[in-house]
Amino acid sequence: MKLMKGLSVLKKLLVLCSLLFTSSVYADELGNILSDNKELLFDYQFQSNELESDKLSKSWINPVRLRYNKDYTTRFGDKTIHTGTFSVIIDQPIFRSGGIYYAIKYSQALREANSADLRLQKRKMIGDAVSILFMLKKTKLEQQKMKYQIKNDTIDIRQKRDSYEAGLLDSSFLDQAILKKSQDETALLEMKLNMMELKQRFALLSDKNPEGLRLPVLKLMSKANYNEQNLELKRDRLRAEESAYNEKITWAKYLPTISLQGQYTDGDLNPLFGGSNSSLEEQYYNYGFSISMPIDINSFTDIEASKVKKLRAATQVIDRKDTVNEEYKWIRNSLNVLDKKIVLAKKDEKIYKNLFRVTKNLAKAGEKTSLDSDIMHNSLQIRKIDQKIYKIDKQVQLLKLYVRVENVL
């Protein structure tokens, strides 16, 4: 008994592990769905963002200047005097009324905001590729559905032709039946064109075979999770943080700055001034400090402009929160409508199952023809396919949420 219980637990663990493994495989397939060139372009963008941010975070450090001069003069008599000088010059601000600290924080916020934006762009591109996979599957189902419809159209034409030849039906009814079949056949051809277009669009995003990729099964995430991981909201919050630091940088720009200056010089002495008793040194240091503050007529306007930018970014965050909430609400409502469509299709499926069974029995009894039975069978298959199509529509709607969040797909 204990052995059986232990085997049962082991079996459950193996099933769980297999599900986790399968999920990770799907995630890897879809996470790597983009072509190598598209991945490489995003890698370069991420690298560029990191490097530009690193450069910006150190932009407050002034470069050390190395200079070498060689001077020639014939000013003193017929003899040409030449001197060489090598200098190392430093002019470095060490205090900008908080501007240095906020410049570093600004660069960090800018890096994270740009990174969030790039991740969002990549997620949307992956979402476009996955959406095409869903649409390919949906179009295949619509083709199957249309083939069943064309079968019914063919039967309808045959029945109406028999009634017309028997004088029981007006020609307009037969004409409408023929026109309906022609329209459905044209729609089937357009679906083939649509399949070709979808495959071409997928090939522009991915170098993988769409037939060999397995689609995810998406579920509605919680509203709290969607808000927490929403990349657009994260990006806008970081932009607001970036603008807040930029306002402080702008303010500090017009406040006092303390800088250290230093210079090391190793130069030839002019022979006219550097005799044996001269106290001049070939190697010497100059150093000191300075305090400066700009008086700019545009300072107030500049500060106000940065303040307005900060307020606009903060308002954008509030607006984005409303947008995120409305997106989630709209997707949830659309899923409810699609669920109702599935329920209706299931009801129709039950009705057609009963009608097909009754018609089949009547056909055996000679009260109905096999064509009537075929019509019910085809209509039953159409309603089954409709349910699959509605389920794909649900996945496409859910994908709109998933492409805007992290740590999924």
Side-chain angles (χ1 to χ4, degrees), residues 91-328:
D91 186 353
Q92 177 59 49
I94 60 171
F95 176 76
R96 283 181 176 170
S97 301
I100 294 174
Y101 170 78
Y102 292 122
I104 295 172
K105 300 298 288 183
Y106 169 82
S107 69
Q108 292 173 349
L110 181 62
R111 170 194 282 138
E112 293 174 7
N114 288 340
S115 178
D117 197 34
L118 287 171
R119 292 199 304 275
L120 177 63
Q121 291 177 33
K122 186 175 181 179
R123 297 281 304 161
K124 285 185 175 180
M125 189 174 288
I126 292 173
D128 289 341
V130 177
S131 178
I132 291 172
L133 292 178
F134 278 124
M135 295 309 296
L136 283 169
K137 186 175 180 181
K138 179 180 177 179
T139 305
K140 284 182 181 178
L141 290 171
E142 287 176 337
Q143 285 178 321
Q144 293 175 17
K145 176 181 172 181
M146 188 56 69
K147 287 176 182 178
Y148 281 114
Q149 185 59 54
I150 291 172
K151 286 181 180 179
N152 277 352
D153 292 339
T154 303
I155 295 171
D156 189 41
I157 290 172
R158 182 175 172 179
Q159 290 176 330
K160 283 184 169 59
R161 181 182 285 116
D162 291 341
S163 298
Y164 170 70
E165 290 174 353
L168 302 174
L169 198 67
D170 188 79
S171 63
S172 61
F173 292 97
L174 177 60
D175 182 61
Q176 288 297 318
I178 295 171
L179 180 61
K180 175 69 167 55
K181 181 174 180 289
S182 177
Q183 289 174 339
D184 288 343
E185 288 174 336
T186 302
L188 184 61
L189 290 173
E190 295 203 1
M191 288 177 192
K192 291 182 180 179
L193 286 175
N194 188 34
M195 286 283 287
M196 293 170 60
E197 182 184 353
L198 288 170
K199 288 179 179 179
Q200 184 204 27
R201 284 171 52 195
F202 185 81
L204 294 174
L205 297 173
S206 176
D207 49 14
K208 294 177 175 56
N209 179 11
E211 302 293 337
L213 293 172
R214 289 170 289 183
L215 286 168
V217 179
L218 306 178
K219 295 183 179 180
L220 182 64
M221 67 186 73
S222 68
K223 186 177 180 181
N225 193 27
Y226 182 62
N227 286 329
E228 182 182 351
Q229 296 198 56
N230 189 279
L231 280 169
E232 289 176 325
L233 190 53
K234 281 187 178 182
R235 177 200 59 196
D236 289 350
R237 282 172 175 160
L238 289 165
R239 293 291 185 210
E241 187 178 332
E242 170 196 334
S243 297
Y245 286 131
N246 184 64
E247 183 201 20
K248 291 181 171 65
I249 293 171
T250 305
W251 182 271
K253 187 168 63 174
Y254 300 104
L255 296 176
T257 298
I258 298 176
S259 301
L260 291 179
Q261 289 92 32
Q263 179 175 337
Y264 166 76
T265 303
D266 185 356
D268 298 331
L269 293 177
N270 191 311
L272 296 178
F273 303 107
S276 59
N277 296 323
S278 174
S279 61
L280 296 176
E281 297 285 345
E282 290 186 359
Q283 299 178 353
Y284 61 93
Y285 296 93
N286 289 331
Y287 50 88
F289 72 93
S290 66
I291 301 175
S292 61
M293 187 176 77
I295 305 298
D296 192 335
I297 192 172
N298 290 318
S299 59
F300 178 77
T301 304
D302 193 14
I303 292 170
E304 284 299 304
S306 66
K307 182 179 180 181
V308 170
K309 186 177 179 181
K310 180 190 75 171
L311 294 173
R312 184 180 64 189
T315 305
Q316 178 67 35
V317 173
I318 297 172
D319 185 66
R320 180 66 65 186
K321 286 180 180 178
D322 293 337
T323 301
V324 168
N325 289 331
E326 286 300 318
E327 285 171 350
Y328 186 87

Side-chain angles (χ1 to χ4, degrees), residues 9-64:
V9 172
L10 180 61
K11 184 178 179 181
K12 289 179 180 179
L13 287 173
L14 289 173
V15 170
L16 177 61
C17 290
S18 67
L19 287 173
L20 292 173
F21 175 75
T22 304
S23 299
S24 65
V25 169
Y26 285 8
D28 288 342
E29 285 183 352
L30 295 174
N32 299 322
I33 197 172
L34 298 180
S35 65
D36 291 340
N37 284 337
K38 289 287 191 293
E39 290 284 357
L40 193 58
L41 286 172
F42 276 111
D43 286 343
Y44 285 142
Q45 286 181 289
F46 280 112
Q47 290 179 37
S48 178
N49 178 51
E50 290 296 318
L51 294 171
E52 289 294 330
S53 299
D54 285 342
K55 186 172 71 173
L56 182 61
S57 68
K58 301 169 186 173
S59 61
W60 63 275
I61 302 175
N62 287 344
V64 176

Side-chain angles (χ1 to χ4, degrees), residues 356-372:
F356 174 59
R357 185 175 62 255
V358 170
T359 307
K360 194 174 181 181
N361 291 332
L362 290 173
K364 288 180 180 179
E367 297 181 17
K368 291 287 183 181
T369 66
S370 60
L371 296 178
D372 294 319

